[in-house]
Amino acid sequence: MTSPDARNLQSRLLRLLPSVDEIVTRLKNDGANGSSDTALSDAVRKAIGIKRQLLLEQTNPGLPDATENASLCEQTLRDIVLDEAKQILSSNKQLGLKKVINATGIVLHTNLGRAPLSDAARSALNDVAQGYSNLEFDLNLGQRGSRGSDVESLLCRLTGAEAALVVNNNAAAVMFAIHTMANAAEVIVSRGELVEIGGSFRIPDIMRQSGAKLVETGTTNKTRISDYRNAITQDTALLLKAHTSNYRIIGFTEEASRGELSELGRETGIPTMEDLGSGSLLHTDGLPHEPTVTESIQAGIDVVTFSGDKLLGGPQAGIVVGKAVWVEKMKKHPLMRILRLDKLALAALEATLRAYLDPDAARTQIPTLQMLSTTREKLKKQAESLMNLMGENACSVLGARVEETSGMVGGGAMPLAELDSFAVTLSPQNSSAESLETRLRNATPPVVARIHEDKVILDLRCIREDEMNQLAVILNEFAK
Ligand SMILES: *Cc1c(COP(=O)(O)O)cnc(C)c1O
């Protein structure tokens, strides 16, 4: 908006915006019960702010003429702000933690709660939530039983490990395992594997908190088995391998294999551990190879840890599988009580793991695996059907188009893998991409999208069938 006329109109409109007090009074007259005065004026301020931003961006705000018919224009603006304030107040009454539509195309988005659960997992969780359960009760013997025993035997069956145990998350699993195996002793780690995941999980810090002493070996790009051997002293208690989940070292690189490491461990009597991060149980077609848990166990690693809510596609959990001597030691440790998994997560985890007994079933039933393997053709069709649901008018007002895009696995997994995808992109006629993105984020349910080259990108990969209609309704509302 550059012409003097347009600027003139804009400042006239801005002056016609209602005052906070005026709208607060209207809200009270309309019976806005249950909100404090502060909540009312906060909502009104926010509503005025949104309208002001839109007026600054719009070349054609679609209002009555501000010169000829100033009072009608003022009244219209007052109604619009009032409506917006009512919407803000009603969304303020919703729960703070709520469902959102993930239009980012990032499947394991840590900020958006990582893996969505399968139908079976949700139903198991619901059953256990509703009433009582045999959480720590043995129904065969009619006496106290052990929490998580079903999940543990499933894990052994699926990975070939001798023993298993579950805790609150993988960070807890790593720290607990190191603490149990190497408290007050030395742990050898390759310099190429000193990974940081999401800010607060850093191998050197976890090591310090576990009470172990980190001994770095090798170099950033090359660490050979001889480097581990040379770093061993009489204080060495553990040889640790950490999966470089969220980065890759490429070029001239070398790392000791799991087999070599476990061989060295057996020869010297020092246990080995691997933090796998994501811990896939299956290979995913079309994606880079991630080491599976079974591969690690078969290579002879003593203790393997991984997350429940990354590629596995279950609830937040930390999973430990490996040699019974170590797992039993952990189970008897006082920290176990502090780190134990709650019954809801346990129910969801068991149902998720059960699906893996039949790999084909797992691929179709577990949302994470499904989303990762959705084809480009299918995503393109979904993008087209979203445009259809929006209708011609909304598509034209919002400048909607079907375009190719690329997403990511997320959750610190497969950092180099780009997921070819399709998106509906929006370049609205009547507002900026930024304010459309803000309005989407504040919709009910909120829609999380990203902006690229001045367009709002709605990647279809993580949008469920039943969310398509909701999304279309929201977009239609914005096009009015
Ligand atoms: C993700 C990850 C963790 C942390 O797991 P959480 O389940 O988020 O606690 C630890 N180590 C590696 C290598 C990871 O990728």
Side-chain angles (χ1 to χ4, degrees):
M1 183 171 295
T2 44
S3 81
D5 274 358
R7 259 197 312 253
N8 236 330
L9 171 67
Q10 194 180 60
S11 52
R12 201 168 304 139
L13 285 173
L14 290 175
R15 276 198 304 273
L16 290 178
L17 276 170
S19 72
V20 176
D21 287 347
E22 205 179 335
I23 302 294
V24 168
T25 314
R26 289 270 307 262
L27 282 171
K28 285 184 175 167
N29 289 343
D30 286 1
N33 308 318
S35 297
S36 67
D37 283 1
T38 335
L40 289 179
S41 48
D42 283 352
V44 172
R45 249 179 234 114
K46 198 168 164 192
I48 295 175
I50 290 172
K51 192 62 201 165
R52 178 187 302 278
Q53 185 60 31
L54 280 171
L55 288 177
L56 287 170
E57 287 170 1
Q58 290 171 334
T59 35
N60 175 18
L63 290 165
D65 193 305
T67 329
E68 304 274 299
N69 210 340
S71 80
L72 183 61
C73 183
E74 192 173 9
Q75 197 180 324
T76 312
L77 278 171
R78 206 184 294 135
D79 290 344
I80 293 173
V81 171
L82 185 66
D83 269 357
E84 185 77 45
K86 281 180 182 167
Q87 271 189 27
I88 292 168
L89 283 170
S90 89
S91 74
N92 283 353
K93 286 190 186 125
Q94 295 168 5
L95 289 173
L97 177 62
K98 57 191 160 198
K99 166 213 158 74
V100 306
I101 294 179
N102 175 6
T104 65
I106 301 171
V107 178
L108 295 169
H109 201 305
T110 297
N111 301 153
L112 303 184
R114 289 198 187 150
L117 296 178
S118 67
D119 290 346
R122 285 186 300 124
S123 132
L125 181 156
N126 194 44
D127 271 359
V128 164
Q130 200 175 21
Y132 299 97
S133 62
N134 60 340
L135 180 65
E136 290 182 1
F137 187 73
D138 187 321
L139 292 170
N140 288 321
L141 302 175
Q143 63 190 36
R144 190 178 204 287
S146 110
R147 176 189 291 245
S149 51
D150 296 305
V151 155
E152 289 163 11
S153 41
L154 264 172
L155 281 165
C156 292
R157 229 173 117 185
L158 290 167
T159 64
E162 271 176 30
L165 102 98
V166 288
V167 291
N168 184 56
N169 59 13
N170 187 37
V174 174
M175 189 169 142
F176 188 22
I178 295 173
H179 179 79
T180 310
M181 300 168 90
N183 190 15
E186 292 178 0
V187 180
I188 302 175
V189 190
S190 159
R191 288 198 167 87
E193 296 176 358
L194 296 172
V195 54
E196 168 181 311
I197 311 277
S200 56
F201 180 94
R202 307 173 105 187
I203 291 284
D205 297 340
I206 292 287
M207 201 71 79
R208 203 169 309 120
Q209 294 301 326
S210 314
K213 181 164 177 274
L214 170 67
V215 175
E216 299 175 17
T217 195
T219 62
T220 307
N221 58 326
K222 292 196 180 196
T223 303
R224 302 179 185 87
I225 193 65
S226 55
D227 292 316
Y228 288 90
R229 187 185 291 279
N230 294 337
I232 292 175
T233 70
Q234 58 190 18
D235 287 332
T236 307
L238 185 65
L239 307 174
L240 174 68
K241 200 165 173 55
H243 186 46
T244 61
S245 297
N246 55 3
Y247 68 97
R248 290 291 178 268
I249 294 172
I250 56 171
F252 293 96
T253 66
E254 207 173 319
E255 62 173 311
S257 71
R258 297 182 180 81
E260 287 174 318
L261 201 65
S262 76
E263 181 64 47
L264 179 63
R266 269 196 301 280
E267 184 194 317
T268 54
I270 300 169
T272 53
M273 166 179 163
E274 181 167 21
D275 170 17
L276 268 182
S278 240
S280 324
L281 292 181
L282 290 174
H283 293 296
T284 321
D285 287 341
L287 287 178
H289 178 79
E290 271 283 298
T292 64
V293 182
T294 311
E295 278 170 22
S296 192
I297 292 291
Q298 276 173 355
I301 300 291
D302 293 307
V303 167
V304 180
T305 71
F306 56 102
S307 285
D309 56 354
K310 290 189 182 170
L311 286 172
L312 188 76
Q316 179 187 306
I319 300 171
V320 182
V321 293
K323 298 275 157 62
V325 316
W326 296 114
V327 174
E328 291 309 321
K329 203 168 172 198
M330 291 171 80
K331 277 190 197 166
K332 292 195 191 97
H333 197 288
L335 271 177
M336 189 61 219
R337 175 60 186 257
I338 295 167
L339 301 173
R340 73 183 186 186
L341 195 58
D342 90 296
K343 62 181 180 181
L344 302 183
L346 209 45
L349 182 60
E350 182 181 345
T352 307
L353 289 170
R354 249 176 222 288
Y356 280 96
L357 291 172
D358 174 357
D360 289 333
R363 289 195 178 91
T364 54
Q365 290 166 13
I366 295 178
T368 303
L369 300 182
Q370 236 177 346
M371 289 175 190
L372 285 171
S373 61
T374 312
T375 61
R376 287 178 75 240
E377 294 68 36
K378 177 140 189 250
L379 292 164
K380 186 170 184 214
K381 283 217 178 78
Q382 271 173 258
E384 286 160 357
S385 81
L386 179 58
M387 299 257 302
N388 279 336
L389 289 169
M390 286 167 68
E392 258 174 51
N393 178 55
C395 283
S396 121
V397 173
L398 298 176
R401 283 181 50 195
V402 172
E403 287 187 70
E404 284 184 68
T405 184
S406 79
M408 288 192 301
V409 175
M414 306 185 189
L416 302 187
E418 288 199 354
L419 301 177
D420 291 339
S421 186
F422 272 91
V424 169
T425 66
L426 306 170
S427 21
Q429 293 169 5
N430 228 352
S431 77
S432 67
E434 281 75 19
S435 71
L436 181 59
E437 185 270 338
T438 309
R439 292 176 84 195
L440 282 165
R441 238 185 310 116
N442 288 288
T444 310
V447 181
V448 183
R450 67 194 159 86
I451 297 180
H452 182 63
E453 290 173 351
D454 272 345
K455 287 183 200 162
V456 174
I457 314 285
L458 303 172
D459 188 319
L460 273 295
R461 185 178 295 275
C462 309
I463 301 178
R464 282 199 317 265
E465 204 73 39
D466 60 295
E467 291 172 333
M468 296 276 280
N469 263 319
Q470 287 180 306
L471 184 52
V473 169
I474 291 167
L475 291 168
N476 262 309
E477 194 57 38
F478 290 170
K480 276 183 189 155

